Amino acid sequence: MRKLLLPSLIIVAASLLVIRIFYLQVIDDSFKLKSDNNAIKIKYDYPERGYIYDRNGKLLVANQASYDIMVIPRELKNTDTLEFCQLLNITKEDFIKKIEKAKIYSPRLPSVFLPQLNKSEFAAFQEKIRKFEGFYFQKRSLRDYEVDSGANIFGFITQVNEKLVAKNPYYNSGDLIGRQGVEESYEDILRGIKGVKYIQKDKYNREIGSFKEGRYDTIAVQGEDINLTIDAELQKYGEELMINKRGGIVAIEPKTGEILALVTAPSYDPSILVGRQRSKNYTKLYHDSIAKPLYDRGLLAEYPPGSPFKILTGLVALQEGVVNEQTTFMCNHGFAYAPGRFQRCHCGGGPRDLHVGIYKSCNAYFSNVYLRTIGKYKSSPYAVDVWSNHIKSFGLGQFMGYDLPTGKKGKAPTSKTYKKMYPDWGWSGKTIISNAIGQGEVLMTPIQLANMMAAVANEGYYYTPHIIKKIEGKKIDTKFTTKHVTTIDKKYFKPMISGLFDVYNLGTAAGLRVEGIDICGKTGTAENFAKIDGKRVQLKDHSIFVAFAPKDNPKIAIAILVENGGFGATIAGPIASLMIEKYLRKKITRTDLETRILNTSLQAQYAKLGGLSEDIKLELRKNDSILKSKTVIPKIKIDSTKEN
């Protein structure tokens, strides 16, 4: 038996190998299609991308036909270069450069020679393409924008790079892919499935019919349509209000976490990134280091939240039991929290409890409250971790998990933060007291501010903010329907909401009321400084505002930040009132506020403050030709110390 074992194994292995080779060579010849077979030509049929609609079914993004001129370098013969270049309005140098690039990719495989011809360009060249062997048209589908807003939400379509082609077998050279926004987040759903045809060729390179009678051919499948949570009219209105300003607006439906508007300013018309001028226009946007129109300030910009953060300071103190609604602190237009150190306050002075402290935005009240919270743990370095864990439960200091491809964590400082900052000496609540009023080391993005207000509106819970509402034939990710509960008990939100309501009635936003709509809100103003030409220059304060409405059964929570906009009630506050009324009523009654905001331009503020150099001024003039919002400002590093 032992003598037969080895021969038997050899015979069995050889038999299996022969069977496998027979299957691959005779029965299954699909591997032939993956090689560069000179006798087979592969043609792709590209599907339309899925359409994009808003929450109300309004069409936002459709498709339009486009044509790429493809080239197979090996098949070029007797090309009249001069006539070819004249037809396509390119130089001979461009022609040579593109052909050389195609040869490097592959002499035998097609490459994109000139992408995204429109119908008129295609028609002019189509009449004479027969004269240019080795060139052919590839029909594709480009985006056709039905609106001129929401560029940061949609993203754009661009050609895949060689790295992605090597990594993902679905894509070939010249294929299009979504970048940024929902085009990137939902690429696999929107792109569809391209069809493939295998064409048999004879020895003279002539097409003679389908390979294997079309056995391996497939048809194109259109991409799935999607509905966004965005309200198109609200989005457009928000972008109009932010023209000639710099900052962001984020509006969320509290009960669902659906993003109603995501505005960044300055912005641009999404249609400029379609067609043969796409690359040129994108380059201008990309290299605009002053206005940074491709930088989504609603998701990426991290700011000290200022006075809106007092909401969390108060809630944490209530939860920790260090104060109650009746606890009172005296404000003498300021608060001396350490020898020789003084925190200013502009609320008018007098005794302050939680309710008055909120609607008058009293620095002294919330600084005392914060010290009591940290002091509860006898100034232990880890006391700040207790506080930090509470504020993290509102989505701060972390990526929020929304369905857009970009974002920042913000900052919720912990004991590790301060051990690193102060390695050689001790620190206490008095050292880090600026956290109490949203200064210090606390940083938040506008979407985190809006989500914080959604959690307050819901009295203690929120859903992960998201921009997808519906995918045709599919369910959205369950993480967007999972409730997140904060560490603050529900009972503590009612007194806080009462104070926020009186911000509009008795406090810092009393002049921004909208008759018939009960709005709860909070103003914020933050000083900021910049280093320009080596000098520390004070720029105009940032204007911040957060709100939700109606007070009972809230339908919208919103955060607005306008850089260098002044007091919170000056620009950000009116924008909040207008956006809330626009969403709830579909019309505006506070036309006085609307007129003022639409006519407010901060461009002179951005251009003049800080002593801009001549090089920067020249760059500002260049930007005017492409941006929807002409907002410009030098890069700044925020150093905020004042709140109101």
Side-chain angles (χ1 to χ4, degrees):
M1 288 296 291
R2 291 182 178 179
K3 293 181 179 180
L4 295 176
L5 180 60
L6 181 59
S8 299
L9 290 174
I10 293 173
I11 292 172
V12 171
S15 299
L16 291 173
L17 183 61
V18 170
I19 293 171
R20 180 60 178 167
I21 292 172
F22 176 80
Y23 174 78
L24 293 176
Q25 293 188 348
V26 179
I27 299 175
D28 182 8
D29 52 8
S30 61
F31 283 88
K32 294 180 182 179
L33 305 178
K34 297 180 180 180
S35 66
D36 293 343
N37 193 328
N38 290 333
I40 299 174
K41 180 178 181 180
I42 300 176
K43 287 186 176 181
Y44 291 103
D45 182 15
Y46 289 88
E48 283 195 76
R49 288 180 75 85
Y51 283 35
I52 300 177
Y53 300 85
D54 84 338
R55 66 186 296 108
N56 301 310
K58 179 179 179 178
L59 179 62
L60 304 176
V61 186
N63 298 300
Q64 58 181 307
S66 177
Y67 304 87
D68 291 352
I69 296 179
M70 310 293 291
V71 62
I72 303 175
R74 187 176 179 179
E75 297 180 7
L76 294 177
K77 292 181 181 179
N78 304 319
T79 303
D80 186 337
T81 307
L82 180 61
E83 182 181 8
F84 186 94
C85 291
Q86 287 176 341
L87 277 171
L88 294 174
N89 193 28
I90 62 174
T91 65
K92 185 176 180 179
E93 289 74 18
D94 286 337
F95 178 90
I96 295 171
K97 184 178 179 180
K98 292 176 183 294
I99 294 298
E100 290 302 317
K101 183 178 179 181
K103 287 179 180 178
I104 292 172
Y105 173 69
S106 173
R108 294 182 296 176
L109 295 177
S111 296
V112 175
F113 179 85
L114 196 63
Q116 301 187 12
L117 272 66
N118 59 35
K119 290 181 180 179
S120 59
E121 292 169 330
F122 166 71
F125 191 72
Q126 184 183 34
E127 296 178 0
K128 298 189 177 183
I129 195 171
R130 66 185 184 279
K131 298 171 62 176
F132 306 111
E133 291 189 50
F135 292 94
Y136 70 94
F137 284 113
Q138 175 66 66
K139 184 178 180 181
R140 300 187 194 273
S141 177
L142 294 183
R143 283 313 204 184
D144 184 15
Y145 295 98
E146 307 300 311
V147 294
D148 62 1
S149 56
N152 60 311
I153 295 171
F154 304 137
F156 54 88
I157 306 298
T158 189
Q159 287 186 26
V160 295
N161 55 39
E162 294 180 8
K163 184 178 180 180
L164 182 59
V165 171
K167 182 180 179 181
N168 191 329
Y170 176 85
Y171 297 101
N172 298 304
S173 178
D175 282 4
L176 300 176
I177 190 172
R179 288 294 186 212
Q180 298 184 13
V182 295
E183 295 282 16
E184 180 174 333
S185 295
Y186 293 97
E187 163 70 9
D188 292 350
I189 290 169
L190 290 168
R191 75 185 181 191
I193 302 173
K194 58 188 173 186
V196 184
K197 285 187 178 182
Y198 299 95
I199 309 298
Q200 187 78 44
K201 297 188 292 183
D202 62 16
K203 62 181 180 180
Y204 299 107
N205 204 36
R206 295 176 301 194
E207 297 182 8
I208 59 176
S210 297
F211 175 73
K212 293 288 185 180
E213 298 180 344
R215 182 189 307 172
Y216 300 105
D217 294 353
T218 60
I219 61 173
V221 179
Q222 182 175 345
E224 301 290 347
D225 296 341
I226 64 174
N227 284 74
L228 303 183
T229 60
I230 294 295
D231 183 302
E233 293 302 316
L234 187 67
Q235 177 72 25
K236 181 178 178 63
Y237 188 57
E239 292 191 17
E240 290 173 351
L241 294 174
M242 288 295 287
I243 288 178
N244 290 319
K245 306 168 189 69
R246 185 178 188 245
I249 301 174
V250 182
I252 295 174
E253 184 178 67
K255 292 294 189 291
T256 62
E258 295 177 355
I259 300 173
L260 303 172
L262 179 60
V263 176
T264 182
S267 187
Y268 59 92
D269 187 331
S271 65
I272 69 172
L273 296 186
V274 177
R276 288 180 63 180
Q277 297 300 311
R278 188 205 74 81
S279 181
K280 179 181 178 182
N281 289 336
Y282 181 80
T283 300
K284 288 182 179 179
L285 295 172
Y286 181 81
H287 289 291
D288 186 349
S289 60
I290 298 174
K292 299 195 289 187
L294 294 176
Y295 182 71
D296 192 328
R297 288 169 170 84
L299 303 178
L300 292 170
E302 298 171 299
Y303 305 92
S307 284
F309 192 78
K310 294 172 182 175
I311 298 169
L312 297 188
T313 301
L315 287 171
V316 172
L318 290 172
Q319 180 66 35
E320 288 295 317
V322 296
V323 297
N324 58 38
E325 296 175 49
Q326 290 75 40
T327 302
T328 302
F329 297 99
M330 182 62 66
C331 176
N332 296 311
H333 305 288
F335 174 61
Y337 57 89
R341 304 179 73 178
F342 188 79
Q343 190 173 81
R344 291 172 292 175
C345 187
H346 308 272
C347 75
R352 301 285 182 252
D353 60 10
L354 176 67
H355 187 81
V356 178
I358 280 290
Y359 79 71
K360 283 188 174 290
S361 196
C362 179
N363 286 349
Y365 174 83
F366 288 100
S367 295
N368 276 293
V369 162
Y370 181 75
L371 288 178
R372 281 201 179 183
T373 301
I374 302 299
K376 177 181 178 181
Y377 298 92
K378 299 180 180 179
S379 298
S380 164
Y382 301 103
V384 72
D385 293 332
V386 175
W387 167 83
S388 183
N389 288 334
H390 280 305
I391 67 172
K392 285 178 180 178
S393 74
F394 286 80
L396 278 65
Q398 57 196 290
F399 292 113
M400 300 192 69
Y402 49 72
D403 51 342
L404 287 165
T406 189
K408 286 290 185 68
K409 295 171 65 173
K411 191 173 183 180
T414 65
S415 59
K416 290 182 179 179
T417 306
Y418 297 109
K419 286 179 181 178
K420 188 175 182 180
M421 290 178 63
Y422 307 108
D424 299 325
W425 58 283
W427 52 272
S428 66
K430 294 177 181 179
T431 313
I432 59 175
I433 197 169
S434 292
N435 290 335
I437 58 173
Q439 301 288 172
E441 286 64 56
V442 179
L443 293 175
M444 294 175 69
T445 60
I447 194 170
Q448 288 176 322
L449 274 169
N451 188 68
M452 177 191 80
M453 287 307 284
V456 174
N458 291 334
E459 298 183 9
Y461 71 89
Y462 68 90
Y463 291 95
T464 299
H466 54 283
I467 209 156
I468 192 71
K469 187 171 181 67
K470 177 183 176 184
I471 303 173
E472 192 67 34
K474 297 182 180 180
K475 293 183 178 180
I476 66 171
D477 196 319
T478 55
K479 73 177 182 178
F480 300 133
T481 56
T482 301
K483 182 184 289 188
H484 301 276
V485 180
T486 71
T487 57
I488 309 299
D489 293 342
K490 182 177 180 178
K491 63 183 179 181
Y492 296 124
F493 286 91
K494 291 189 181 301
M496 181 60 66
I497 290 172
S498 177
L500 295 173
F501 180 57
D502 272 345
V503 168
Y504 264 86
N505 295 314
L506 305 171
T508 53
L512 305 178
R513 294 179 60 192
V514 178
E515 194 65 35
I517 300 178
D518 292 337
I519 305 177
C520 300
K522 185 73 191 74
T523 54
T525 307
E527 276 186 353
N528 69 93
F529 295 84
K531 283 188 177 180
I532 300 176
D533 297 331
K535 298 179 181 179
R536 188 171 185 264
V537 180
Q538 183 174 359
L539 302 178
K540 195 173 181 180
D541 298 340
H542 293 323
S543 180
I544 307 168
F545 201 91
V546 295
F548 65 83
K551 177 175 176 286
D552 301 317
N553 191 25
K555 293 180 171 58
I556 180 173
I558 194 166
I560 297 97
L561 191 142
V562 181
E563 294 181 5
N564 304 86
F567 292 112
T570 302
I571 295 183
I575 290 175
S577 294
L578 292 168
M579 290 286 284
I580 287 171
E581 185 177 23
K582 182 71 171 179
Y583 181 67
L584 296 179
R585 289 178 172 168
K586 311 303 180 187
K587 63 179 183 179
I588 296 297
T589 61
R590 288 300 306 267
T591 54
D592 58 322
L593 295 181
E594 182 180 60
T595 300
R596 174 156 65 87
I597 295 301
L598 291 175
N599 290 332
T600 296
S601 172
L602 298 181
Q603 185 163 345
Q605 175 73 29
Y606 298 142
K608 292 178 180 178
L609 283 180
L612 302 183
S613 67
E614 289 302 316
D615 289 341
I616 292 179
K617 291 177 182 177
L618 176 62
E619 186 65 24
L620 302 187
R621 291 193 290 272
K622 291 178 181 177
N623 293 333
D624 286 351
S625 63
I626 191 169
L627 297 181
K628 285 173 59 183
S629 175
K630 304 300 194 310
T631 305
V632 284
I633 187 172
K635 290 183 178 179
I636 63 173
K637 182 177 180 181
I638 299 172
D639 177 15
S640 304
T641 57
K642 182 180 73 178
E643 276 301 307
N644 200 10

